[in-house]
Amino acid sequence: MSLLTTEEYKAIAAGLSFPTTAFIDGHFRPAISGKTFDTLNPATGQVLAKVAACGPEDVDLAVQKARDAFEDGRWSRLHPKDRKETLIKLAKLVKRNARELAVLESLDSGKTIYDCEQVDVPETINCLTWHAELIDKIYDQVAPASDNHIAMIVREPVGVVGLVLPWNFPLLMLAWKIGPALAAGCSVIVKPAEETPLTTLRMAELAMEAGIPPGVFNIIPGTGPDVGEPIGRHMDIDAVSFTGSTETGRRFLRYAAESNLKEVTLEMGGKNPAVVLDDAENLDRVAAHVVNGAFWNMGENCSASSRLIVQKGIKDALLKRIVAHTREWPMGDPLDPTNRVGALVSKAHFDKVASYLEKGPKVILGGKAEKGFVEPTILDTPRDAKQAREEIFGPVLSVLTVDSFDEAIALANATDYGLAASIFTSNVKRAIRGARALRAGTVTVNSFGEGDISTPFGGFKQSGFGGRDNGIHAHDQYTQVKTIWVDLADDADEAVA
């Protein structure tokens, strides 16, 4: 999609109407309590809208309606081709409203319109379409058995699912979850992050227009304690898929343990290494990948390459190129399509990220934080510094120096996280050995990335477990496997035998 001018994007923004209420059983409705909360434009501090601040009673109502929908089969037992056609229609509606969604996402999150137009919205459409097309292409199995038996292994939707979204990719993470969940036949309760509820609520309007039946797709905006915890503890929710911080992910495990032992899938934080060995080719290209990995989406990305681990012999040459590429990432008004770095999502998050820049390692580039914006920053970081160990979730790259391949891999793995990693080398054997040795769910060779919609995404260690997003594996989160054993013997005694 071609980009517009800043003035044209601002004209679109001025004409937007913001959805503000919960969506339950096919209807928009205020919170039962009548409470609201403000959602802000992080770049200006302006209040965009007052959104329904839901609570446990709203969760109860949504779960009841979702359970009714699931049990009567209006979606769960719909023919796969009919679910497919409905989700494809939803994807087409997203495409038809793509520009509006991109502007709405930028206003609510501080993300650049460049990323919203070029990455987030197109990938949302691709994700919904991909999972829709997969619905009638996942086959069940027949196990080997005797002539007197048939053993069928079938997938069934898990039931009512809570989907708890992060604020860094509101629209795309919604698609990552509802794509496979709705494809499987589940009914869903979506909790958008309180910082970024608007595009999720707009998607409810499109889902209704696409023909997703009432009760199947429900959205409950509100805080973690008021909505997230009641979802995690609800006795009639069968599974929860959560993307967010490791600290909050731990809570969902406790909620499940203390309630109905619902299935929990966690996709959480990362402190991801980009390992550059001294035989890496084309350092200019390597630098471009490192910069993109570190500063894309303002570093508010669980798979961000926040640690550059580089062999001593090429450190200076690589840093020179990294600094040059970083200067090509201008920061400013998110609705200006020439900007690549926008505002951090909230005042609280800005304060957290800025605190890592107040005192600490030597600043190679950047280091300024003001009025919600943090410059892309490169630090020459000691290994024991908190900037090298803790997930900052901002545009901050820590540079760590090593002498050897073995030292680089050991340092890359010296973290509680294990979501993503990159290795840059011209030696095929070292690339494969390194990729195998790196303890991360996704390892890219000579590039930064997360794979694509066809490849599973998720982490090792404290980056998450319980399932994967993307790919066929994503459907495992939202289905249960059942064995159906059919006895064909005529004689009862023979059947027993």
Side-chain angles (χ1 to χ4, degrees):
M1 186 159 27
S2 59
L3 294 168
L4 304 179
T5 65
T6 306
E7 290 71 25
E8 287 171 317
Y9 284 121
K10 289 186 175 181
I12 293 172
L16 290 177
S17 59
F18 301 117
T20 59
T21 55
F23 184 73
I24 300 174
D25 198 30
H27 301 284
F28 286 95
R29 52 182 298 147
I32 292 173
S33 67
K35 295 179 180 177
T36 63
F37 66 91
D38 293 341
T39 184
L40 307 179
N41 180 339
T44 65
Q46 172 191 358
V47 175
L48 294 171
K50 291 185 178 295
V51 177
C54 294
E57 61 276 17
D58 300 284
V59 174
D60 288 341
L61 177 61
V63 173
Q64 175 194 329
K65 297 301 183 181
R67 177 60 63 189
D68 291 345
F70 183 77
E71 296 300 338
D72 70 24
R74 68 187 75 164
W75 182 258
S76 59
R77 292 196 292 274
L78 200 63
H79 194 286
K81 73 176 180 61
D82 294 326
R83 291 204 305 271
K84 174 174 126 176
E85 288 173 1
T86 302
L87 287 181
I88 288 175
K89 186 175 180 181
L90 174 59
K92 289 179 177 178
L93 287 168
V94 174
K95 186 173 184 179
R96 191 180 304 165
N97 294 274
R99 183 142 279 154
E100 171 205 339
L101 286 165
V103 173
L104 188 59
E105 187 94 320
S106 179
L107 290 174
D108 205 24
S109 67
K111 295 164 70 76
T112 63
I113 193 65
Y114 179 94
D115 281 345
C116 293
E117 286 259 41
Q118 301 295 314
V119 180
D120 294 47
V121 175
E123 285 301 309
T124 295
I125 297 165
N126 182 45
C127 178
L128 292 172
T129 304
W130 195 88
H131 286 293
E133 291 288 357
L134 193 63
I135 290 174
D136 57 4
K137 299 173 183 66
I138 298 181
Y139 287 78
D140 293 327
Q141 299 169 308
V142 177
S146 74
D147 286 344
N148 289 328
H149 303 90
I150 292 178
M152 294 181 287
I153 301 147
V154 299
R155 289 172 178 252
E156 295 182 351
V158 70
V160 176
V161 181
L163 306 176
V164 183
L165 307 182
W167 46 253
N168 57 336
F169 291 91
L171 195 58
L172 184 55
M173 293 302 98
L174 173 67
W176 275 25
K177 294 187 186 299
I178 66 170
L182 293 177
C186 296
S187 296
V188 302
I189 314 293
V190 181
K191 182 208 172 296
E194 52 264 40
E195 294 88 350
T196 54
L198 297 183
T199 47
T200 301
L201 291 169
R202 177 68 179 107
M203 281 287 283
E205 297 174 327
L206 300 180
M208 184 166 51
E209 186 178 348
I212 294 176
V216 173
F217 183 33
N218 306 277
I219 300 175
I220 312 296
T223 67
D226 290 337
V227 174
E229 182 172 348
I231 286 174
R233 293 188 180 277
H234 206 286
M235 296 296 290
D236 204 26
I237 288 180
D238 301 295
V240 166
S241 181
F242 167 80
T243 298
S245 71
T246 299
E247 177 187 357
T248 304
R250 293 180 193 275
R251 294 187 189 132
F252 276 97
L253 291 179
R254 290 198 297 271
Y255 302 155
E258 293 168 1
S259 57
N260 62 341
L261 285 178
K262 59 180 61 66
E263 297 181 25
V264 177
T265 299
L266 303 176
E267 197 275 283
M268 302 183 290
K271 192 67 177 175
N272 310 291
V275 175
V276 184
L277 303 177
D278 57 9
D279 61 356
E281 294 179 332
N282 192 345
L283 291 186
D284 190 65
R285 184 172 182 275
V286 172
H289 276 287
V290 171
V291 168
N292 184 50
F295 304 134
W296 171 48
N297 203 52
M298 293 73 72
E300 295 173 332
N301 182 10
C302 54
S303 62
S305 299
S306 55
R307 290 185 297 152
L308 170 62
I309 299 173
V310 57
Q311 277 193 272
K312 185 185 299 182
I314 60 166
K315 176 182 176 181
D316 291 344
L318 179 61
L319 280 179
K320 181 179 178 181
R321 290 166 172 82
I322 287 175
V323 167
H325 277 281
T326 301
R327 295 189 192 282
E328 297 172 358
W329 283 62
M331 180 179 73
D333 181 357
L335 289 181
D336 181 343
T338 65
N339 286 329
R340 297 300 308 278
V341 179
L344 298 192
V345 72
S346 67
K347 174 70 164 56
H349 187 60
F350 167 80
D351 290 343
K352 176 201 166 189
V353 174
S355 71
Y356 285 92
L357 306 179
E358 292 170 356
K359 292 182 181 179
K362 175 185 175 183
V363 176
I364 298 172
L365 184 71
K368 293 182 181 178
E370 188 176 14
K371 295 181 179 179
F373 291 81
V374 174
E375 280 186 322
T377 298
I378 304 170
L379 305 176
D380 198 349
T381 314
R383 296 183 188 185
D384 60 350
K386 66 180 182 179
Q387 289 83 352
R389 294 180 289 103
E390 299 175 6
E391 185 182 37
I392 299 173
F393 222 63
V396 181
L397 175 66
S398 291
V399 180
L400 306 161
T401 311
V402 294
D403 292 318
S404 67
F405 169 83
D406 289 337
E407 185 184 2
I409 299 300
L411 181 56
N413 287 334
T415 174
D416 292 332
Y417 299 107
L419 187 59
S422 304
I423 184 168
F424 296 84
T425 174
S426 61
N427 184 305
V428 174
K429 290 182 178 179
R430 291 174 99 189
I432 299 301
R433 282 176 52 216
R436 285 182 168 178
L438 287 165
R439 297 283 297 157
T442 298
V443 179
T444 56
V445 177
N446 292 327
S447 67
F448 163 77
E450 298 176 351
D452 65 15
I453 186 61
S454 68
T455 58
F457 180 79
F460 292 5
K461 299 188 280 187
Q462 293 184 32
S463 288
F465 60 87
R468 290 291 188 263
D469 291 316
N470 289 343
I472 294 175
H473 299 78
H475 289 242
D476 294 341
Q477 291 187 52
Y478 307 107
T479 57
Q480 296 194 102
V481 176
K482 176 184 285 185
T483 296
I484 300 176
W485 184 266
V486 182
D487 193 328
L488 303 177
D490 290 328
D491 185 275
D493 291 336
E494 182 181 351
V496 172

